[in-house]
Amino acid sequence: MPYRLTSKRPPAVVFHKTLPDPFLSLSTIEFWDLKASMSSLSRELVFLILQFLDEEKFKDSVHRLEQESGFFFNMRYFEEMVTNGDWDEVEKYLSGFTKVDDNRYSMKIFFEIRKQKYLEALDKKDRAKGVEILVKDLKVFSAFNEDLFKEITQLLTLEDFRDNEQLSKYGDTKSARGIMLGELKKLIEANPLFRDKLTFPNLKNSRLRTLINQSLNWQHQLCKTPKPNPDIKTLFVDHSCGQSQPNGAHAPSPVTHPLMGGVPKAGGFPPLGAHVPFQPAQAPLPASLAGWMANPSAVPHPSSSAGPIGFPSQNNAALLKRPRTPLNNAAVDYQSADSEHVLKRSRPFGMSDEVVTNLPVNILPVGYAAQVHGQSSYSSDDLPKAVAMTLNQGSVVKSMDFHPVQQILLLVGTNTGEITLWELGSRERLAVRNFKVWDLGKCSMPLQASLANDYTAPINRVIWSPDGTLFGVAYSKHIVHIYSYHGGDDVRNHLEIEAHGGSVNDLAFSYPNKQLSIVTCGDDRAIKVWDAVTGIKQYTFEGHEAPVYSVCTHHKENIQFIFSTATDGKIKAWLYDNLGSRVDYNAPGHSATTMAYSADGTRLFSCGTNKEGDSYLVEWNESEGAVKRTYQGLGKRSERVVHFDTTKNRFLAAGDECMIKFWDMDSVNLLTTAEAEGGLLPSPCIRFNKEGILLAVSTNDNGIKILANADGMRLLRTVESRSVDASRFGSPAVVKATPTLGSFGGSSIIDRAPSMASNAAMNGDSRSLADVKPRIVDESADKSRIWKLTEINEPSQCRSLRLPDTSTAMRVSRLMYTNSGLAILALSVNAVHKLWKWQRNDRNLTAKATASVAPHLWQPSSGIMMTNDISDTNPEDAVPCFALSKNDSYVMSASGGKISLFNMMTFKTMTTFMPPPPVATFLAFHPQDNNIIAIGMDDSSIQIYNVRVDEVKTKLKGHQKRITGLAFSNVLNVLVSSGADSQLCVWSTDGWEKQTSKCLLIPSGRTPAPLADTRVQFHQDQIHLLAVHETQIAIYEATKLECLKQWAPREASGPITHAAYSCDSQSIYVSHEDGSVGVLTASTLRLRCRINPSSYLPTNPSSRVYPLVIAAHPSEASQFALGLTDGAVYVLEPLESEGKWGTSPPHENGAGPSTTSGAPNSDQPQR
């Protein structure tokens, strides 16, 4: 008997939704009183309907059914409502699962929600609303705790409910909701009424569709005379092939659909034709994808057929096979006429002789004659394993890609959002770009909100276009940037695309319809295709149930397609249409996987790592959609996804266990390994250049090692010895004859049809192409490049702004930017704080601090000032200090008296504590817990104080004089302290024991003041430490306090007054008593720019004014602020046309330690 829902009871709730799908003619859904009468199968049907509604994006209906049935509590939806403050919807949703008086857990849940709603009304000064909530929502709790209700009522009498001692720690609305949400989740998980309702059943995709299709198949099987191509028009009546039936069959089509096989007359359920409701008409598939689809998983994609797709050339038995992992096959020769043709090409795709002749100097293809012999001539000796050079990137490398034409250009993206273009011949950074939204006004509100909280975005992928005229950057926040490259350091903005909601996880180039396109994927579970010229979206592919981790673009038999992989291990394939995915497979180990073809495009590989840390490197059999071979030798328990790459159509490489592992493609056993002289990350990022003679690998000290084979070494030596100025190639007109966007040497990118070789490059792997030898001018013409220190002497040479201040000017003792970069906070010697805020307007769309637009000195409407307690101390003798909370809501500060906690929005003093003695001289918030503060004292001790419980947890003793600096590392789990005794100490934050200590090495000939401040600041890698003393700047490795580099200023500049890293840690800004500011390259401590006081200070011979403190902008690497002895605060930036402070000497490239000079006044680094 067919299964049906039956009930004699009237419907409790009825609502309707008309949907566009043929199946959804059934979409008038009736919800009976499910709790009382549902059988087990009825309950499961609700889950199937929930899944179906969710897949069809009927979100309101999904949550209504969740609430009405009470079967599944959607925690994610609940979190969203609480975070948005939709209190009525929150309670309505909860009512489907519990009531206020069900148990103590339920009562606590409703109380917390209503209390938060009440406090928010009071915070908005809406007392009428507060009274309404008190009477309607909170009075019910008076029967259980009358005293508590009275205390809540008394909050109405307070100007600010935070004056209540228990609510004094209440922050802003957002943070309060976040704290409450954490408590609610614990209560819900503990509440027995929610047991078994917090997890959705593990259903296969589109289970309800599959069941209906199986039913239709069965009905068709029961037909007396089954006919091909049944025309199923409705689900309201059973299917029959009779001609008079409304659900009959068409006459057989004279042309068989290319994706349809015949219907078997006996056996299992036959696949229905294109007229099945859930099987859209589809375009022909290439053989590679046909094989994958010949063996579909039991779970088709919602947009795909539920039954196997047939191919005329294959029998039906083959169509029903499932993926399998075969035994190791014998080696197969994958060389073909096509790949042989590719290997023998004499120059990169799309480049004529004329183009090569007229290329700009920095885009000339450089290389040796391409190897055109077969695979058998390669050996492991051809692999690049010798270290040729080391580059100091300065931050964690996330992605790398070599230029497809010029083999010595390396593009690098880092965790700070920095893009660097390295020229390996000269070991020079040709171009550096930090993360910056080009047009914030066009960004969505979620993106603007995200950037307002944290204006940084790590890079997930950098990749060149196949011809090297463009490169793309995928960021972890919504954005994709496309740059055009015109040779040398000429990098120009081309496209800014807000591609995805959340992180953009991967990016690739492709050629659908013979036009260059950009393919992206992201955390929003979508894959999108964009026009590379206009940035217009062409396609959106949806169907993954988890964030999409990577994309791999390719073509076979003139069919362009995309493989996508998700973090749940699902692999799908898409054609450039809107008909859904053609493949639904599981990656080995359900791992987050990347896929790549061999350079000739004939072999497909994937490498992935699952949540347990197990990694899998495999080759796929494209004709069957099965794993062909699994390579052995990858380690276990990897902390991150293992990177891999292919080269020479013969070798595979993966970064694993602090080394590079190599395999022959035809053997599952490990071929060889390379440790690159040590210092690699556990799972380093790796990338071959096109010819496979160079290999870039990331290191654990934020560097890059370039490995080379014999040919690679010769290439680097040749380029290094013959590095020439662009002027040697002729007139500027010739040098600047660079390709414009959309064309390359006169050949349009848009109109050019790709060859197999170029499409092998679509996923950044264009290395099947031969290089063209460079045209090298005679060596006698070589001239060394002349470098000169950049001196900024005139106001016209930089941008500077004195911040407006109508109050009494007093010496600036402390200075910092807010974490958002929207404001600057200063603490003067008279214990008064000043806050300057920038406003959003047409001249400043981001509202961030800038020297181009003046801010205003901000005060709350009450007119109060944030003024520290000074007790009986002389302000001139005090050592002021302050620290800002992560969300910029609170500042903790002291000026010789008690420590004060201020609300940054109202300037009100929240509390004061720790009256002297001893006096606080430095403050630092713990990076993981804002309630823990390290307080340096003038008695040389450090107190670890818990604000929440108002208690000193421990005291650290190791210094001889007052504490002048504190810095936490959340990577090393240490606190580093510095004192007026010129000593550094390292303390473990786990047990607060001292690990090591060391005194600064004072340069010869320098005598420091008896109480000279020593400041410390961590590099963004949280491993290297900047130590600042009036006599020197020094870089230490924090765990052992090993001094790596030291720099002493020239005596004419006077003592150092302060110094700070730029936000990207690439530069160090150093202020001096003569008023000058030096800009050092952080990796080498070499001075590259000196900003003299005449460029930002008005001329006044009678006054001696200089900076006491310096602060770096949190997201603009070239911006800093100065606090001066006369009370002024200045913001300085380089000219927009320059973009940075000076250039490095040609031999200074961050490739290793620079030459040290023994002269202490040389402005050069010392060891």
Side-chain angles (χ1 to χ4, degrees), residues 865-884:
M865 306 282 285
M866 288 190 292
T867 305
N868 281 334
D869 170 67
I870 56 175
S871 298
D872 297 326
T873 60
N874 181 352
E876 293 289 337
D877 298 332
V879 181
C881 54
F882 63 11
L884 192 62

Side-chain angles (χ1 to χ4, degrees), residues 44-110:
E44 291 182 2
L45 179 59
V46 171
F47 282 113
L48 294 179
I49 295 172
L50 284 171
Q51 183 197 43
F52 171 79
L53 292 173
D54 184 65
E55 290 173 342
E56 296 297 321
K57 312 296 186 196
F58 295 107
K59 300 299 183 184
D60 292 341
S61 300
V62 169
H63 302 314
R64 184 74 178 274
L65 179 54
E66 290 167 352
Q67 180 239 323
E68 289 289 341
S69 68
F71 288 156
F72 173 61
F73 185 83
N74 191 326
M75 188 66 82
R76 181 182 296 180
Y77 175 59
F78 180 74
E79 290 176 8
E80 181 181 314
M81 290 189 293
V82 171
T83 302
N84 294 333
D86 298 330
W87 305 121
D88 292 341
E89 290 299 318
V90 168
E91 290 210 22
K92 183 178 179 182
Y93 189 70
L94 277 170
S95 68
F97 302 88
T98 185
K99 300 293 184 290
V100 173
D101 55 356
D102 278 346
N103 58 41
R104 61 191 179 93
Y105 298 104
S106 299
M107 184 178 297
K108 178 68 170 171
I109 290 170
F110 280 95

Side-chain angles (χ1 to χ4, degrees), residues 808-1041:
T808 304
M810 299 288 286
R811 187 174 74 238
V812 179
S813 300
R814 294 291 179 264
L815 185 72
M816 70 168 67
Y817 285 87
T818 57
N819 295 299
S820 64
L822 304 177
I824 288 178
L825 179 66
L827 174 58
S828 298
V829 71
N830 62 352
V832 174
H833 299 77
K834 297 177 183 178
L835 181 68
W836 288 271
K837 288 186 177 182
W838 274 258
Q839 302 298 307
R840 191 185 307 275
N841 53 44
D842 293 341
R843 295 181 59 201
N844 186 11
L845 295 176
T846 65
K848 288 191 178 293
T850 174
S852 301
V853 179
H856 73 282
L857 184 60
W858 191 85
Q859 272 188 288
S861 56
S862 63
I864 64 174
M865 306 282 285
M866 288 190 292
T867 305
N868 281 334
D869 170 67
I870 56 175
S871 298
D872 297 326
T873 60
N874 181 352
E876 293 289 337
D877 298 332
V879 181
C881 54
F882 63 11
L884 192 62
S885 64
K886 290 180 183 177
N887 59 4
D888 295 335
S889 297
Y890 302 98
V891 62
M892 193 164 291
S893 184
S895 295
K898 296 178 183 178
I899 300 174
S900 301
L901 178 66
F902 296 101
N903 184 312
M904 286 279 284
M905 297 299 295
T906 63
F907 282 14
K908 287 185 178 180
T909 304
M910 307 300 295
T911 185
T912 59
F913 55 96
M914 283 199 175
V919 172
T921 55
F922 205 92
L923 300 167
F925 282 100
H926 192 288
Q928 273 97 31
D929 187 352
N930 266 345
N931 292 306
I932 303 297
I933 306 169
I935 306 174
M937 296 294 189
D938 67 349
D939 67 353
S940 77
S941 68
I942 302 165
Q943 301 194 17
I944 307 302
Y945 177 75
N946 189 316
V947 179
R948 184 179 293 275
V949 297
D950 190 18
E951 179 180 295
V952 175
K953 291 294 186 183
T954 187
K955 290 185 179 181
L956 312 180
K957 295 185 177 181
H959 288 274
Q960 307 304 316
K961 297 180 181 179
R962 72 184 182 206
I963 305 300
T964 58
L966 295 169
F968 283 97
S969 168
N970 51 16
V971 171
L972 301 176
N973 292 326
V974 299
L975 169 68
V976 177
S977 60
S978 60
D981 54 2
S982 302
Q983 184 182 196
L984 306 178
C985 293
V986 180
W987 314 84
S988 167
T989 56
D990 295 327
W992 299 109
E993 69 276 2
K994 186 163 77 169
Q995 294 183 339
T996 186
S997 63
K998 188 168 289 187
C999 289
L1000 295 180
L1001 301 172
I1002 305 300
S1004 59
R1006 303 293 176 96
T1007 303
L1011 290 176
D1013 285 356
T1014 303
R1015 299 295 173 83
V1016 285
Q1017 181 187 359
F1018 269 101
H1019 187 283
Q1020 65 181 11
D1021 66 8
Q1022 297 282 290
I1023 296 172
H1024 294 92
L1025 184 77
L1026 170 66
V1028 181
H1029 187 263
E1030 66 175 32
T1031 64
Q1032 64 184 281
I1033 298 291
I1035 304 294
Y1036 286 83
E1037 190 278 321
T1039 54
K1040 298 179 181 178
L1041 287 183

